[in-house]
Amino acid sequence: MNNTSLISGKSSEDLARKLSRKLKANLVKSEIIIFPDGESKITLSGNLSKSKSIVVQSIYPPVDTNLVQCLSLISKAKENSSEVIVVIPYMGYARQDREFLPGEIVTMKVLGKLFKGAGASKLITVDIHSMLGLKHFRINSKNVTAIPDLVKYFKKLRLKNPLVISPDKGGKDRAREFADILKVEHIALEKKRDRKTGKVQIKTKNADEVKNRDLILVDDMISTGGSIIKATQFLKKQNCKRVYVACTHALLMNDAEKKIRKAGVARIVSTNTIPGKTSLVDVSDTIAKAAV
Ligand code: R5P
């Protein structure tokens, strides 16, 4: 992709570098200074293409800071390039895609307006929490999945009669996709989340099929770890063997990783949409294919 600038946001530097190589785009780095009051000052190093810029910036914590930086990068790109593609490997706020309780603001709707207003012409996300979230964006948008990349990792492990499990019914299709590629079976547990406290409960009573099997819990994201911990505690009681976790986005807030391990999870495998200790799977190939 000659004549394309790839603007690397601070939250996705490694992924942006990989993408720039794959797309043969000119990497433009951003230098950030955070002022004592929390404001970001952004300086780009390099010239921007007149025809196309790709902005890469994940919106993980500090979510609002990374969001404003992303919007600023889009705005600057639009001042120079006629087309601006924005890649948001992890889309923060995606769980606020509808009004669950009366009076709640659907923040994804606000983001839709902001991204368009800043100048984005196309949006690419990876395993966004729900497709409804993307409907609030009135620009060309595409969601790609990291499931095949995650499965590739698990194919290399020697698992005992593995079973793929979604911690909730909402994630059943994701679990099915994972299981189909791995050529194994899948089930979904029933989870209930208190909309006010965020606390989760597993409502499934028995799951005989997990006995003596290695399990792969598949989810789109881990935030506090509550869903994975409750599911693991339940599955351990059902006498399963090892429990692995595969997820696209590992936020692992506070001491979530420690708590998940304490619950008995053997390994957490996530992707580099959010860089960290568990991001063992690279999604740059998958994103690159969507960006051409
Ligand atoms: C929920 O529907 C999502 O797919 C995740 O299971 C959830 O957001 C993870 O959050 P936490 O780790 O806080 O339970």
Side-chain angles (χ1 to χ4, degrees), residues 210-274:
V210 310
K211 205 168 168 200
N212 278 326
R213 295 174 87 166
D214 281 337
L215 308 178
I216 309 170
L217 272 169
V218 175
D219 212 342
D220 58 333
M221 60 184 287
I222 304 174
S223 178
T224 63
S227 308
I228 292 297
I229 291 166
K230 289 287 179 205
T232 306
Q233 288 167 342
F234 168 76
L235 295 165
K236 287 278 175 186
K237 274 193 207 140
Q238 308 289 309
N239 297 318
C240 66
K241 284 217 166 297
R242 291 169 298 183
V243 177
Y244 290 82
V245 172
C247 78
T248 306
H249 317 290
L251 288 166
L252 294 169
M253 299 314 297
N254 306 320
D255 50 357
E257 192 188 344
K258 210 167 132 197
K259 288 196 218 150
I260 291 171
R261 293 202 191 284
K262 200 169 159 220
V265 168
R267 193 177 305 178
I268 305 167
V269 180
S270 67
T271 78
N272 56 352
T273 59
I274 299 177

Side-chain angles (χ1 to χ4, degrees), residues 190-216:
E190 197 178 335
K191 176 182 101 178
K192 192 165 178 260
R193 185 185 289 274
D194 184 309
R195 287 271 156 223
K196 284 210 171 111
T197 63
K199 289 248 157 62
V200 294
Q201 254 181 298
I202 298 296
K203 301 297 265 179
T204 308
K205 292 279 170 260
N206 298 302
D208 297 334
E209 56 272 69
V210 310
K211 205 168 168 200
N212 278 326
R213 295 174 87 166
D214 281 337
L215 308 178
I216 309 170

Side-chain angles (χ1 to χ4, degrees), residues 33-47:
I33 294 173
I34 305 282
F35 289 128
D37 60 2
E39 287 177 5
S40 305
K41 178 180 166 61
I42 311 169
T43 310
L44 295 185
S45 61
N47 297 326

Side-chain angles (χ1 to χ4, degrees), residues 27-291:
L27 183 66
V28 177
K29 293 185 183 166
S30 48
E31 283 308 318
I32 310 281
I33 294 173
I34 305 282
F35 289 128
D37 60 2
E39 287 177 5
S40 305
K41 178 180 166 61
I42 311 169
T43 310
L44 295 185
S45 61
N47 297 326
L48 297 181
S49 154
K50 283 199 173 83
S51 54
K52 190 193 272 190
S53 282
I54 303 175
V55 172
V56 186
Q57 167 90 334
S58 246
I59 302 179
Y60 57 80
V63 172
D64 293 342
T65 300
N66 283 333
L67 171 63
V68 170
Q69 288 178 9
C70 184
L71 291 166
S72 306
L73 294 175
I74 296 170
S75 171
K76 184 69 181 169
K78 189 62 191 168
E79 283 170 23
N80 293 270
S81 313
S82 47
E83 186 187 3
V84 179
I85 299 180
V86 54
V87 177
I88 316 276
Y90 168 68
M91 175 62 94
Y93 284 110
R95 288 180 292 177
Q96 299 190 44
D97 55 1
R98 68 199 84 183
E99 193 177 329
F100 292 100
L101 297 175
E104 283 180 357
I105 291 172
V106 181
T107 309
M108 280 303 271
K109 217 185 251 181
V110 183
L111 259 54
K113 291 178 196 161
L114 290 172
F115 276 77
K116 190 170 181 197
S121 11
K122 181 176 174 183
L123 169 70
I124 299 171
T125 55
V126 183
D127 286 327
I128 189 161
H129 178 66
S130 85
M131 292 308 285
L132 180 62
L134 276 191
K135 291 218 174 92
H136 299 299
F137 288 74
R138 303 259 176 255
I139 52 173
N140 178 8
S141 39
K142 186 169 188 174
N143 180 62
V144 296
T145 179
I147 296 287
D149 297 315
L150 284 162
V151 174
K152 235 182 256 169
Y153 181 98
F154 278 86
K155 272 188 180 160
K156 290 189 218 136
L157 303 181
R158 290 188 174 185
L159 301 184
K160 187 173 182 272
N161 193 14
L163 177 69
V164 171
I165 304 195
S166 168
D168 52 45
K169 298 277 179 209
K172 195 167 183 181
D173 288 348
R174 191 177 300 121
R176 180 186 302 120
E177 188 182 344
F178 194 106
D180 285 354
I181 306 175
L182 198 58
K183 298 194 173 56
V184 300
E185 295 165 318
H186 71 282
I187 59 166
L189 303 179
E190 197 178 335
K191 176 182 101 178
K192 192 165 178 260
R193 185 185 289 274
D194 184 309
R195 287 271 156 223
K196 284 210 171 111
T197 63
K199 289 248 157 62
V200 294
Q201 254 181 298
I202 298 296
K203 301 297 265 179
T204 308
K205 292 279 170 260
N206 298 302
D208 297 334
E209 56 272 69
V210 310
K211 205 168 168 200
N212 278 326
R213 295 174 87 166
D214 281 337
L215 308 178
I216 309 170
L217 272 169
V218 175
D219 212 342
D220 58 333
M221 60 184 287
I222 304 174
S223 178
T224 63
S227 308
I228 292 297
I229 291 166
K230 289 287 179 205
T232 306
Q233 288 167 342
F234 168 76
L235 295 165
K236 287 278 175 186
K237 274 193 207 140
Q238 308 289 309
N239 297 318
C240 66
K241 284 217 166 297
R242 291 169 298 183
V243 177
Y244 290 82
V245 172
C247 78
T248 306
H249 317 290
L251 288 166
L252 294 169
M253 299 314 297
N254 306 320
D255 50 357
E257 192 188 344
K258 210 167 132 197
K259 288 196 218 150
I260 291 171
R261 293 202 191 284
K262 200 169 159 220
V265 168
R267 193 177 305 178
I268 305 167
V269 180
S270 67
T271 78
N272 56 352
T273 59
I274 299 177
K277 255 198 340 209
T278 63
S279 49
L280 305 169
V281 172
D282 173 35
V283 289
S284 60
D285 263 337
T286 300
I287 296 175
K289 280 181 205 140

